[in-house]
Amino acid sequence: PPKAPSEHGPKGSEEATKIGSDKDAEEAVVEEEPEPIPLVTLLARYHDSPSIPDVSNGIHARVGEHGSYFRSAPLIREQVTFANEPDRLLIQLKRFLDPANKIKTPVAVPERLDARQLKAAIVHHGGATHEGHYVCYAFIEAKWYCLNDNYVTELAEFPAKALEQGYVFYYG
Protein backbone atom coordinates (compact mmCIF):
# COMPACT_ATOMS: atom_id res chain seq x y z
CA PRO A 1 0.00 0.00 0.00
CA PRO A 2 1.14 3.58 -0.61
CA LYS A 3 2.74 5.43 2.27
CA ALA A 4 0.85 8.50 3.57
CA PRO A 5 2.72 11.81 3.63
CA SER A 6 4.28 12.62 6.98
CA GLU A 7 2.56 15.41 8.90
CA HIS A 8 5.89 16.54 10.28
CA GLY A 9 8.02 16.26 7.14
CA PRO A 10 8.48 19.04 4.60
CA LYS A 11 5.84 19.33 1.92
CA GLY A 12 6.83 17.68 -1.33
CA SER A 13 9.46 15.45 0.29
CA GLU A 14 10.51 12.37 -1.61
CA GLU A 15 9.23 10.33 1.32
CA ALA A 16 5.63 11.30 0.51
CA THR A 17 3.77 9.14 -1.96
CA LYS A 18 0.87 10.38 -4.05
CA ILE A 19 -2.42 8.76 -3.05
CA GLY A 20 -5.25 8.59 -5.57
CA SER A 21 -5.32 9.78 -9.16
CA ASP A 22 -5.45 13.17 -10.85
CA LYS A 23 -9.13 12.48 -11.56
CA ASP A 24 -9.77 12.12 -7.81
CA ALA A 25 -8.10 15.46 -7.22
CA GLU A 26 -10.23 17.14 -9.89
CA GLU A 27 -13.42 15.79 -8.31
CA ALA A 28 -12.45 16.81 -4.78
CA VAL A 29 -14.77 19.44 -3.35
CA VAL A 30 -12.88 22.54 -2.31
CA GLU A 31 -14.56 24.58 0.41
CA GLU A 32 -14.56 28.19 -0.75
CA GLU A 33 -14.22 31.12 1.60
CA PRO A 34 -17.40 33.16 1.89
CA GLU A 35 -17.50 36.54 0.17
CA PRO A 36 -16.61 39.33 2.59
CA ILE A 37 -19.48 41.56 3.70
CA PRO A 38 -18.66 45.25 3.05
CA LEU A 39 -18.19 47.23 6.25
CA VAL A 40 -20.51 49.94 4.91
CA THR A 41 -23.27 47.30 4.63
CA LEU A 42 -22.85 46.42 8.30
CA LEU A 43 -22.94 50.10 9.24
CA ALA A 44 -26.15 50.56 7.23
CA ARG A 45 -27.72 47.54 8.97
CA TYR A 46 -26.80 49.02 12.35
CA HIS A 47 -28.18 52.43 11.40
CA ASP A 48 -31.44 50.86 10.17
CA SER A 49 -32.04 49.14 13.51
CA PRO A 50 -35.25 47.14 13.88
CA SER A 51 -38.46 48.53 15.30
CA ILE A 52 -39.18 47.92 18.97
CA PRO A 53 -42.49 48.03 20.89
CA ASP A 54 -43.37 51.43 22.37
CA VAL A 55 -44.28 50.67 25.97
CA SER A 56 -44.26 54.32 27.13
CA ASN A 57 -48.07 54.56 26.91
CA GLY A 58 -48.70 51.66 29.28
CA ILE A 59 -49.53 49.07 26.60
CA HIS A 60 -47.22 46.12 27.09
CA ALA A 61 -46.71 43.52 24.42
CA ARG A 62 -46.55 40.08 26.00
CA VAL A 63 -45.11 37.09 24.20
CA GLY A 64 -47.26 33.98 24.27
CA GLU A 65 -46.23 30.37 24.62
CA HIS A 66 -45.33 30.01 20.92
CA GLY A 67 -44.01 33.52 20.32
CA SER A 68 -47.41 35.09 19.62
CA TYR A 69 -48.47 38.47 21.02
CA PHE A 70 -51.47 38.76 23.35
CA ARG A 71 -51.67 42.52 22.83
CA SER A 72 -49.85 44.62 20.30
CA ALA A 73 -48.09 47.90 21.01
CA PRO A 74 -47.25 50.64 18.52
CA LEU A 75 -43.75 50.26 17.11
CA ILE A 76 -41.03 52.87 17.44
CA ARG A 77 -37.70 52.99 15.67
CA GLU A 78 -34.42 53.78 17.38
CA GLN A 79 -32.23 56.01 15.24
CA VAL A 80 -28.72 57.39 15.71
CA THR A 81 -27.91 60.73 14.08
CA PHE A 82 -25.09 63.23 14.41
CA ALA A 83 -25.52 67.02 14.21
CA ASN A 84 -21.97 67.19 12.83
CA GLU A 85 -20.09 64.28 11.34
CA PRO A 86 -17.21 63.34 13.68
CA ASP A 87 -13.61 63.72 12.49
CA ARG A 88 -12.68 60.41 14.11
CA LEU A 89 -14.61 57.18 14.05
CA LEU A 90 -13.99 54.05 16.11
CA ILE A 91 -15.85 50.93 14.95
CA GLN A 92 -15.94 47.69 16.92
CA LEU A 93 -17.47 44.61 15.33
CA LYS A 94 -19.03 41.95 17.52
CA ARG A 95 -16.75 39.02 16.70
CA PHE A 96 -17.65 36.72 19.60
CA LEU A 97 -21.01 35.09 20.38
CA ASP A 98 -19.57 34.11 23.75
CA PRO A 99 -15.98 33.60 24.98
CA ALA A 100 -15.68 30.23 23.19
CA ASN A 101 -17.31 31.02 19.82
CA LYS A 102 -15.82 33.49 17.37
CA ILE A 103 -17.77 34.96 14.46
CA LYS A 104 -15.41 34.44 11.51
CA THR A 105 -17.45 36.08 8.75
CA PRO A 106 -15.01 38.09 6.61
CA VAL A 107 -15.66 41.82 6.38
CA ALA A 108 -14.33 43.96 3.50
CA VAL A 109 -12.82 47.00 5.20
CA PRO A 110 -12.26 50.09 3.04
CA GLU A 111 -9.05 52.06 3.33
CA ARG A 112 -11.17 55.22 3.26
CA LEU A 113 -14.63 55.71 4.74
CA ASP A 114 -16.18 58.92 3.48
CA ALA A 115 -13.51 61.58 4.16
CA ARG A 116 -11.70 59.49 6.80
CA GLN A 117 -8.54 57.43 6.34
CA LEU A 118 -8.25 54.09 8.15
CA LYS A 119 -5.46 54.73 10.67
CA ALA A 120 -5.37 51.47 12.63
CA ALA A 121 -7.09 48.11 13.01
CA ILE A 122 -6.89 45.24 15.48
CA VAL A 123 -7.16 41.66 14.25
CA HIS A 124 -7.58 38.57 16.45
CA HIS A 125 -6.15 35.26 15.20
CA GLY A 126 -7.74 32.30 16.97
CA GLY A 127 -11.11 30.74 17.65
CA ALA A 128 -11.97 32.02 21.13
CA THR A 129 -11.31 34.94 23.46
CA HIS A 130 -9.12 32.82 25.73
CA GLU A 131 -6.81 31.70 22.92
CA GLY A 132 -5.12 33.23 19.92
CA HIS A 133 -3.13 36.33 19.21
CA TYR A 134 -3.84 40.01 18.58
CA VAL A 135 -2.08 42.01 15.85
CA CYS A 136 -2.36 45.70 15.03
CA TYR A 137 -2.16 47.20 11.55
CA ALA A 138 -1.34 50.92 11.49
CA PHE A 139 -1.09 53.61 8.82
CA ILE A 140 1.84 55.83 9.81
CA GLU A 141 3.37 58.56 7.63
CA ALA A 142 1.65 57.26 4.47
CA LYS A 143 2.82 53.63 4.96
CA TRP A 144 1.10 50.53 6.35
CA TYR A 145 2.75 48.55 9.15
CA CYS A 146 1.99 45.30 10.96
CA LEU A 147 2.71 45.54 14.70
CA ASN A 148 3.07 42.03 16.06
CA ASP A 149 4.49 41.91 19.60
CA ASN A 150 8.14 42.96 19.32
CA TYR A 151 8.12 43.01 15.52
CA VAL A 152 7.14 45.91 13.28
CA THR A 153 6.94 45.11 9.59
CA GLU A 154 6.46 47.66 6.82
CA LEU A 155 3.87 46.44 4.31
CA ALA A 156 3.98 47.02 0.57
CA GLU A 157 0.24 47.80 0.35
CA PHE A 158 -3.04 48.12 2.21
CA PRO A 159 -3.59 44.81 4.11
CA ALA A 160 -7.17 44.24 2.85
CA LYS A 161 -7.15 40.43 3.22
CA ALA A 162 -5.68 40.51 6.74
CA LEU A 163 -8.25 43.07 7.88
CA GLU A 164 -11.19 40.84 6.84
CA GLN A 165 -10.94 39.25 10.31
CA GLY A 166 -10.49 42.56 12.14
CA TYR A 167 -12.75 43.70 14.91
CA VAL A 168 -11.66 47.22 15.87
CA PHE A 169 -11.12 49.94 13.24
CA TYR A 170 -10.01 53.54 13.82
CA TYR A 171 -10.73 56.08 11.09
CA GLY A 172 -9.45 59.65 11.37
Side-chain angles (χ1 to χ4, degrees):
K3 191 174 181 182
S6 169
E7 286 184 33
H8 304 290
K11 288 185 179 180
S13 68
E14 291 179 22
E15 198 177 301
T17 304
K18 183 176 173 182
I19 299 174
S21 67
D22 288 336
K23 185 177 180 185
D24 292 336
E26 289 173 13
E27 292 176 0
V29 177
V30 177
E31 186 176 320
E32 293 182 23
E33 289 185 27
E35 282 292 316
I37 298 171
L39 180 63
V40 292
T41 300
L42 295 178
L43 291 173
R45 286 181 190 169
Y46 175 78
H47 184 69
D48 295 336
S49 60
S51 299
I52 57 175
D54 178 6
V55 294
S56 62
N57 63 3
I59 298 175
H60 298 280
R62 295 183 295 156
V63 178
E65 191 176 327
H66 301 286
S68 60
Y69 284 93
F70 290 110
R71 299 179 83 190
S72 61
L75 295 178
I76 59 172
R77 182 172 285 274
E78 180 182 19
Q79 186 173 0
V80 177
T81 58
F82 297 99
N84 296 313
E85 197 170 288
D87 294 336
R88 294 173 193 88
L89 183 61
L90 186 65
I91 300 170
Q92 178 182 355
L93 300 181
K94 182 178 178 182
R95 283 286 189 187
F96 295 96
L97 296 171
D98 56 57
N101 293 301
K102 183 175 179 181
I103 299 170
K104 297 179 181 177
T105 305
V107 176
V109 179
E111 189 168 7
R112 296 194 69 78
L113 189 61
D114 296 326
R116 299 176 205 88
Q117 167 70 43
L118 181 63
K119 299 287 188 179
I122 299 173
V123 177
H124 176 262
H125 300 283
T129 58
H130 61 276
E131 66 181 27
H133 185 68
Y134 292 89
V135 176
C136 178
Y137 292 89
F139 189 69
I140 304 167
E141 297 180 3
K143 294 181 182 176
W144 278 100
Y145 294 89
C146 177
L147 293 82
N148 186 351
D149 290 339
N150 295 333
Y151 301 97
V152 176
T153 307
E154 183 177 338
L155 305 175
E157 60 187 20
F158 176 66
K161 186 68 177 167
L163 296 183
E164 287 181 358
Q165 291 299 316
Y167 81 99
V168 176
F169 305 96
Y170 170 68
Y171 285 90

